[in-house]
Amino acid sequence: MVHEAGQHHDTHAPLRSIDLFCGAGGLACGLTSRGFDVRLGSDIWKPAADTYRANFPGHRFEQVDIRDLTASDILEASGGTPPDLVAGGPPCQGFSSAGARAMNDERNTLVGWYSRLAAEVRPPVVVFENVEGFLTASNGKYVVDLFDPLIEAGYVLRLEKLNVANFGVPQLRKRVIVIAALDRTPQRLVPTNSASGAPGVWRVGAGLPPTVSAAEALSKVSASKRDPLSLTRTPGDLELARIQGLEQGKTMRDLPPHLQHKSWLTRANRRVRDGMPTERRGGAPIGLRRLRADEPSKAITGAATREFVHPTEDRTLTLREAAALQTFPDTFEFVGSRADIATMIGNAIPPKFAAELASAVHATLAMPPDFSEPGVVDFRSTNAEAMSPALARVTQLVEQRYGVANSVPALF
């Protein structure tokens, strides 16, 4: 069981927060560690609801579709007045680059629903978190769906695409964060670590301590025989041969032909149309990948325990190891089938990153009101040298629609 707020937080008075689309509770972990009082967690998925309740028994929880949750419900949970923070990350499956993009997936409409609900509640700060594919999906439609209701309600917005490795998470995972504030300028997340292993990540946090490597993070996992999440999967002969043939940092693409997957040739010729740079188009899926011991892990997804090979052992990761790379404590209890748990782990906001996000909210609320004009004060969509054509189009859309000037990469 995860401990409630009160341990290991700073000296700020507890702030009331609402955690929508909360999943297993990664954001709640980070918020409570920094002194927030989470007044309500909500998610429609039963395994997530059961997991959240198991770890945060003191929090009110509503297993409900957000479209059935009203501003009055949130205000009542907050004690009758707007909470200090409404935070959430609507489901990303509709526009995740990790899977097929369904532009008319009804879940995508939840972005606008979330924005309108938050605007009606009118907390001092609203936080939105999602995958990088959110930016370019449907030519920026969902960016507009998020921005417009908040700006019309008087909010000042800051959008940044960040890598959680720059915030102490042993994982190369890009996320889009929007912080919106009333009557003041939202503050930026302050990197705590340098990192390498992904494009652009080395540009942020120069001179800071390197983030924890995959090997170091995995070495600290307590593998208990009583913990079903610590069970290792026994590979078949062919899979074991593939695993043994992989050096650190190598993927299925680097294996000799006789160890390739039978669907290799078919899938190698696939093409995608999502704005990806030409040199990265097509190609077979990566499949199995052995993590490098000296770098953060690649991004943990629901498939991580099937595809990620331990840096030094000839086996795939356990569920507990995947959770550790997401910075969940060993004591965190996951409820559901193994497939459900893998999905929850892959979808979660890393608690350590969530804690730094909480600090940015604290810093924003500590700023004196400057009564800034509603709008977009910052749109940092990349830390790389170049943008994909799709991202460049969306950046131009944002500049023209909202008049934002700060849309170039920012270095720390």
Side-chain angles (χ1 to χ4, degrees):
M1 181 185 298
V2 171
H3 295 294
E4 294 298 318
Q7 289 188 336
H8 310 300
H9 63 77
D10 57 25
T11 57
H12 291 87
L15 299 173
R16 295 167 298 154
S17 61
I18 304 294
D19 187 359
L20 304 178
F21 304 99
C22 63
L27 179 60
C29 279
L31 290 175
T32 55
S33 75
R34 295 295 166 92
F36 277 82
D37 176 11
V38 181
R39 292 296 184 93
L40 174 67
S42 180
D43 201 288
I44 193 173
W45 191 35
K46 187 177 187 300
D50 292 342
T51 295
Y52 190 100
R53 287 176 171 134
N55 291 280
F56 304 99
H59 295 188
R60 175 174 170 177
F61 187 91
E62 296 288 345
Q63 186 185 336
V64 64
D65 188 317
I66 191 177
R67 290 168 290 193
D68 295 323
L69 196 64
T70 68
S72 296
D73 294 330
I74 291 174
L75 290 169
E76 189 271 328
S78 179
T81 58
D84 299 286
L85 169 67
V86 169
C92 62
Q93 287 89 336
F95 40 76
S96 172
S97 60
R101 298 184 180 207
M103 293 308 174
N104 58 356
D105 187 326
E106 68 173 11
R107 289 171 297 195
N108 288 342
T109 67
L110 295 179
V111 173
W113 198 282
Y114 170 77
S115 183
R116 291 189 296 272
L117 180 60
E120 187 177 354
V121 174
R122 290 187 65 78
V125 177
V126 176
V127 165
F128 172 87
E129 178 269 350
N130 227 295
V131 296
E132 62 173 333
F134 157 79
L135 290 170
T136 53
S138 198
N139 297 313
K141 166 181 167 52
Y142 303 109
V143 175
V144 173
D145 281 355
L146 176 69
F147 282 12
D148 276 4
L150 291 171
I151 292 172
E152 290 169 10
Y155 284 86
V156 183
L157 278 63
R158 180 189 298 279
L159 179 147
E160 297 182 86
K161 184 167 73 174
L162 303 166
N163 199 307
V164 301
N166 290 125
F167 299 86
V169 180
Q171 180 190 163
L172 296 160
R173 182 186 190 89
K174 289 180 282 189
R175 280 299 182 269
V176 172
I177 298 295
V178 176
I179 300 180
L182 284 175
D183 299 327
R184 69 197 72 209
T185 302
Q187 299 301 291
R188 302 183 67 183
L189 276 77
V190 179
T192 58
N193 297 86
S194 60
S196 61
V201 70
W202 60 272
R203 296 174 176 272
V204 178
L208 294 172
T211 198
V212 177
S213 68
E216 184 179 350
L218 293 173
S219 72
K220 296 177 181 177
V221 177
S222 299
S224 168
K225 293 182 179 179
R226 295 189 300 273
D227 180 6
L229 271 64
S230 293
L231 296 176
T232 56
R233 185 169 58 84
T234 303
D237 292 343
L238 178 56
E239 185 182 17
L240 180 59
R242 289 169 172 162
I243 288 173
Q244 291 173 334
L246 287 176
E247 298 176 2
Q248 288 187 24
K250 300 298 184 181
T251 74
M252 185 97 101
R253 297 174 181 176
D254 301 300
L255 292 174
H258 72 280
L259 291 179
Q260 302 289 2
H261 194 280
K262 61 182 179 181
S263 65
W264 175 268
L265 290 177
T266 301
R267 300 172 78 184
N269 292 323
R270 70 179 182 168
R271 289 294 182 266
V272 292
R273 284 177 282 183
D274 64 352
M276 186 180 293
T278 301
E279 64 272 15
R280 295 177 58 193
R281 286 184 177 275
I286 289 173
L288 286 173
R289 175 199 296 274
R290 189 183 290 274
L291 300 178
R292 287 183 60 107
D294 59 346
E295 289 181 350
S297 167
K298 299 302 182 182
I300 297 297
T301 69
T305 55
R306 299 194 305 273
E307 297 180 349
F308 285 6
V309 178
H310 192 281
T312 57
E313 300 178 21
D314 288 333
R315 60 173 180 82
T316 52
L317 298 182
T318 68
L319 286 168
R320 185 58 72 188
E321 287 172 333
L325 293 172
Q326 281 277 58
T327 66
F328 280 100
D330 281 351
T331 54
F332 198 90
E333 180 182 352
F334 292 91
V335 182
S337 69
R338 293 185 67 82
D340 290 341
I341 293 170
T343 299
M344 277 187 277
I345 293 171
N347 287 350
I349 300 178
K352 191 168 181 60
F353 178 68
E356 299 307 324
L357 182 53
S359 290
V361 175
H362 268 303
T364 297
L365 291 169
M367 295 292 292
D370 57 16
F371 303 102
S372 303
E373 285 293 317
V376 183
V377 70
D378 220 349
F379 188 78
R380 310 277 179 170
S381 58
T382 183
N383 279 314
E385 287 185 340
M387 294 183 185
S388 69
L391 185 56
R393 286 193 296 270
V394 173
T395 300
Q396 184 178 30
L397 165 69
V398 170
E399 290 173 344
Q400 293 174 345
R401 187 178 183 92
Y402 304 108
V404 59
N406 295 328
S407 57
V408 295
L411 307 183
F412 289 85

